[in-house]
């Protein structure tokens, strides 16, 4: 942090340097150079007795004195063209010393441009811009020095002294692509100051033996003001950010009753670039009535002659400004100014003669309402550009007040509040954890589903049947038919979601959309009985469903088996058997099941199998030699029971082979078929039971 001491008439200046970044540490532990005693009163620089601050510019360095500017961001220096011969021999000293850019080895000319300052007040002017080395303090001090800084050389008398812009905004030349950082931003960028902030008071010649001003870059001097809780926020207009609401202006005196000076509250800009108060015409007229001021239209000033000055000195009024964030109500702070703070003198030059004046100006519109440098004689201003806040407080004056320099930490460093708070970080971490858990659950579900499909595929391969998965655990057995049937089956099953009620409804839809596939055995929905299907796979050739087909046994004679080329010792052939009412089928239709009822019956809600009674019966036995050498004997019986159901019973008998005989056993002659006792129709999806020596297959719906 840097504290810039003011210049005095005959007092050597010393630079005070602060490097500590802690915002509430006292100056006793900071590295700094002590400041000299006050000495003689402040010199009248320009339009009043202002404290100026020293800079050095160029190579070799040239000393200049400048005033702080809260509204602009460049370094202004008076060049030799600003002191023509008619200004006299003391012009260079009166204007705060001159900077001759032609003698600087590091000067890089940019060109002639408008200053772009105080446009709303009609005080803009031109300057020659360039880049050069700029340092804080006089030659021989240890203040930071930055090369390549933007410098404006001025010659206009509008701004009698040079200026140090403490606003961190950048400067654009013609286009927004040609942008130059401010001197304040560069000080922060190279670590010379901890933050883009400052504390400033203009000083008061009339207090004590003459109190100089104070400027601290990167902090403030706590000893110079009484803290208050109110904090002002920046205005939206980037050219007028330090705006306060002036709710009231009132004057008081020990010898008069006093009164209000501001008819209506206004918004005003705090600007140290100019010395005056710019207030509405109505307020200026109240000042005229209260203090006897006379407006000079020629000079646009309130000139104070000796008689008026004597009256005001005797009255010694005190003017109090009540400031807040809003035009009405809310927290406020009061800044009181004695008459001495309004008693200013304009030297010659720039005036033709030394003139005493009252720093009040009639504002043309609301954009000109301003509280200038005269206001900051009694007010201490602290601005934090990074947090867009500032504060105003009444300045404290004393003979032996110890400095209490406080730094303002940056809002943009790694430990500042602009980073994510602990709560936000915790919320983000919790969200990531929840997302990880969801991903894990999905992955586990997919893994189990994949394993389930593998087990299902293994069971299907072992059973020798063609199956496909439909709706999770359901199995749909597909008969040998065209490939298009399976594709349409899947599409229809997907369309029926979520009101799907089984393979029955799929079949009805397939009948409508695929009439050419009616002769093919349609898809049939089965419950999840993979293990049972695999268990009975060796005994079942084809399962009839609710379509109403009736399997019949084929001729098991020796001639028929030889005709088919099969081995009677290890093959059990169950073929369709023709009924008496049926005609002889063609050879191509030998293994094709017959439709016994139209599909219209299914649309009427019929779910039980409808079959024809069997009028022809056959029976027989079968011996089969296993791999272990044993012989299994099978007895096949089929009986006609009722016109509605048929039961197929298969019995199995095992016996050890005769070791001495190697001849193959032949099929025993047929045995008579005995009818089984009638049974009631099985219920839909009736359970399947298997004993130690027989397997009963109920009808499937």
């Amino acid at each position: 942090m840097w504290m810039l001491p003011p210049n005095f008439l005959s007092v050597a200046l010393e630079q005070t340097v602060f490097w500590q970044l802690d915002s509430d540490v006292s100056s006793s532990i900071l590295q700094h150079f002590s400041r000299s005693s006050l000495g003689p009163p402040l010199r009248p620089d320009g339009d009043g007795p202002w404290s100026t601050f020293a800079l050095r510019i160029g190579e070799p360095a040239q000393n200049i004195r400048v005033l702080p500017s809260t509204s602009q961001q460049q370094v202004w220096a008076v060049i030799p063209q600003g002191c023509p011969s008619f200004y006299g021999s003391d012009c260079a000293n009166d204007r705060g010393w001159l900077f001759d850019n032609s003698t600087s080895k590091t000067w890089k000319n940019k060109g002639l441009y408008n200053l772009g300052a105080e446009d709303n007040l009609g005080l803009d002017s031109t300057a020659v811009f360039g880049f050069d080395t700029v340092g804080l303090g006089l030659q021989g001090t240890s203040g930071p020095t930055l090369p390549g800084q933007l410098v404006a050389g001025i010659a206009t008398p509008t701004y009698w002294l040079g200026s140090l812009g403490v606003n961190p905004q950048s400067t654009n030349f013609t286009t927004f692509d040609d942008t130059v950082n401010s001197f304040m931003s560069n000080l922060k960028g190279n670590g010379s100051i901890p933050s883009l902030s400052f504390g400033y008071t203009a000083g008061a010649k009339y207090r004590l033996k003459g109190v100089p001003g104070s400027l601290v870059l990167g902090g403030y001097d706590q000893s110079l003001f009484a803290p208050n809780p109110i904090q002002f926020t920046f205005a939206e207009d980037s050219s007028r950010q330090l705006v306060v609401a002036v709710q009231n202006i009132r004057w008081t005196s020990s010898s008069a009753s006093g009164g209000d000076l501001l008819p209506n509250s206004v918004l005003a800009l705090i600007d140290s670039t100019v010395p005056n108060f710019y207030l509405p015409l109505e307020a200026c007229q109240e000042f005229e009535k209260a203090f006897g001021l006379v407006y000079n239209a020629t000079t646009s000033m309130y000139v104070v002659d000796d008689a008026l000055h004597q009256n005001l000195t005797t009255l010694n009024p005190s003017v109090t400004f009540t400031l807040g964030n809003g035009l009405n109500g809310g927290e406020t702070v009061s800044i009181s100014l004695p008459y001495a703070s309004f008693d200013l003198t304009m030297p010659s030059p720039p005036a033709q003669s030394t003139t005493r004046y009252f720093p009040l100006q009639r504002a043309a519109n609301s954009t000109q309402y301003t509280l200038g440098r005269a206001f900051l004689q009694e007010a201490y201003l602290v601005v934090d550009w990074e947090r867009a806040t500032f504060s105003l407080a009444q300045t404290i004056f004393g003979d032996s007040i110890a400095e209490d320099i406080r730094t303002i930490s940056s809002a943009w460093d790694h430990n500042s509040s602009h980073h994510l708070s602990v709560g936000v970080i915790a919320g983000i971490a919790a969200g990531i954890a929840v997302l990880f858990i969801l991903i894990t659950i999905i992955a586990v579900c997919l893994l189990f589903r994949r394993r389930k499909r593998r087990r299902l595929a293994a069971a299907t391969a072992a059973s020798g049947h063609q199956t496909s998965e439909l709706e999770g655990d359901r199995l749909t057995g597909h008969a040998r038919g065209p490939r298009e049937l399976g594709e349409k089956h899947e599409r229809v099953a997907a369309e029926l979601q979520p009101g799907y009620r089984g393979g029955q409804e799929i079949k009805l839809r397939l009948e409508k959309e695929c009439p050419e596939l009616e002769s093919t055995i349609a898809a049939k929905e089965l419950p999840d009985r993979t293990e049972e299907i695999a268990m009975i796979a060796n005994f079942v050739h084809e399962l009839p469903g609710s379509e109403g087909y009736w399997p019949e046994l084929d001729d098991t004679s020796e001639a028929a088996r030889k005709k088919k080329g099969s081995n009677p010792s290890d093959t059990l052939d169950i073929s369709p058997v023709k009924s008496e009412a049926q005609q002889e089928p063609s050879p191509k239709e030998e293994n094709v099941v017959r439709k016994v009822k139209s599909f219209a019956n299914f649309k009427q809600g019929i779910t039980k199998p409808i079959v024809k009674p069997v009028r022809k019966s056959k029976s027989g036995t079968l011996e089969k030699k296993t791999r272990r050498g044993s012989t299994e004997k099978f007895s096949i019986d089929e009986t006609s029971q009722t016109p509605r159901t048929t039961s197929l019973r298969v019995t199995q008998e095992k016996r050890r082979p005769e070791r001495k005989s190697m001849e193959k056993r032949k099929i025993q002659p047929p045995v008579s078929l005995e009818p089984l006792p009638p049974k009631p129709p099985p219920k839909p999806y009736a359970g399947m039971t298997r004993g130690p020596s027989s397997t009963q297959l109920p009808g499937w719906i």
Side-chain angles (χ1 to χ4, degrees), residues 251-270:
W251 73 278
T252 58
S253 175
S254 59
S255 59
S257 59
D260 293 333
L261 300 174
L262 184 66
N264 300 298
S265 57
V266 297
L267 297 176
L269 174 69
I270 307 296

Side-chain angles (χ1 to χ4, degrees), residues 267-595:
L267 297 176
L269 174 69
I270 307 296
D271 187 1
S272 64
T273 312
V274 294
N276 299 322
F277 296 85
Y278 289 80
L279 296 176
L281 176 61
E282 297 80 8
C284 293
Q285 292 173 346
E286 294 295 331
F287 271 89
E288 294 171 6
K289 295 177 183 179
F291 303 139
L293 301 177
V294 178
Y295 183 72
N296 189 326
T298 303
T299 60
S300 300
M301 298 173 62
Y302 286 96
V303 178
V304 178
D305 57 20
D306 293 341
L308 180 58
H309 172 65
Q310 185 61 40
N311 293 336
L312 292 175
T313 302
T314 302
L315 182 63
N316 193 22
S318 177
V319 180
T320 301
F321 290 77
T322 302
L323 310 176
N325 267 311
L327 293 174
N328 297 291
E331 294 182 328
T332 61
V333 59
S334 296
I335 308 295
S336 296
L337 286 76
Y339 166 69
S341 62
F342 295 94
D343 185 14
L344 300 181
T345 301
M346 178 77 70
S348 175
Q352 293 182 355
S353 61
T354 302
T355 304
R356 181 178 282 114
Y357 71 101
F358 195 93
L360 180 64
Q361 290 284 325
R362 294 178 175 181
N365 51 61
S366 61
T367 64
Q368 292 186 347
Y369 299 157
T370 305
L371 304 181
R373 195 184 313 122
F375 175 77
L376 294 174
Q377 293 176 109
E378 296 288 327
Y380 194 93
L381 173 65
V382 179
V383 178
D384 186 350
W385 299 105
E386 297 180 9
R387 296 175 178 85
T389 58
F390 66 99
S391 63
L392 284 166
Q394 187 76 46
T395 303
I396 297 176
F397 301 98
D399 289 330
S400 57
I401 298 178
E403 293 176 346
D404 185 8
I405 305 299
R406 307 289 183 90
T407 66
I408 299 176
S409 61
S410 176
W412 302 336
D413 59 17
H414 296 290
N415 298 321
S416 61
S417 60
H418 85 283
H419 288 276
L420 296 177
S421 63
V422 176
V424 175
I425 295 175
I428 294 175
I432 294 175
V434 171
L435 180 61
F436 177 77
I437 293 174
L438 291 176
I439 294 176
T440 303
I441 293 175
I442 294 174
V444 171
C445 292
L446 292 177
L447 179 61
F448 276 100
R449 185 176 181 182
R450 186 176 181 181
R451 290 182 177 178
K452 185 175 181 180
R453 287 181 175 178
R454 289 181 177 178
R455 290 195 298 267
L456 179 60
T460 304
S463 64
H465 287 269
Q466 181 183 1
T467 61
S468 64
E469 185 177 355
L470 180 62
E471 292 187 358
D473 295 335
R474 298 181 178 180
L475 292 177
T476 304
H478 294 278
R480 295 181 300 274
R483 180 178 180 181
E484 292 79 0
L485 182 60
E487 295 176 352
K488 290 182 178 292
H489 178 276
E490 295 178 357
R491 179 177 59 78
V492 171
E495 291 176 355
L496 290 175
Q497 297 293 342
Y500 174 65
R501 295 187 293 275
Q504 192 94 339
E505 190 168 351
I506 295 178
K507 179 171 181 56
L508 296 178
R509 289 286 299 274
L510 288 175
E511 285 180 2
K512 290 183 178 181
E513 296 185 13
C514 309
E516 68 279 4
L517 300 176
E518 288 184 0
S519 60
T520 306
I521 298 179
K524 180 70 185 78
E525 180 184 358
L526 301 177
D528 189 5
R529 298 177 178 176
T530 305
E531 297 180 358
E532 297 178 1
I533 293 175
M535 186 189 309
I536 65 173
N538 294 328
F539 304 98
V540 180
H541 175 68
E542 188 170 12
L543 297 179
S546 61
E547 292 84 352
Y549 300 116
W550 175 248
E552 298 179 348
L553 294 177
D554 195 5
D555 188 4
T556 57
S557 63
E558 186 69 14
R561 285 192 296 272
K562 289 182 179 181
K563 181 179 181 181
K564 293 183 179 180
S566 59
N567 189 350
S569 64
D570 56 5
T571 303
L572 177 62
D573 190 5
I574 303 177
S575 303
V577 179
K578 300 181 293 295
S579 64
E580 294 179 357
Q582 293 174 333
Q583 297 179 359
E584 288 295 329
S586 62
K588 295 182 179 180
E589 298 176 349
E590 181 179 358
N591 294 323
V592 179
V593 296
R594 307 179 68 85
K595 184 183 302 183

Side-chain angles (χ1 to χ4, degrees), residues 8-30:
F8 298 100
L9 183 61
S10 60
V11 178
L13 301 179
E14 297 182 14
Q15 185 68 40
T16 304
V17 184
F18 299 91
W19 300 105
Q20 180 65 36
L21 301 183
D22 191 359
S23 61
D24 56 358
V25 69
S26 63
S27 60
S28 59
I29 62 174
L30 302 178

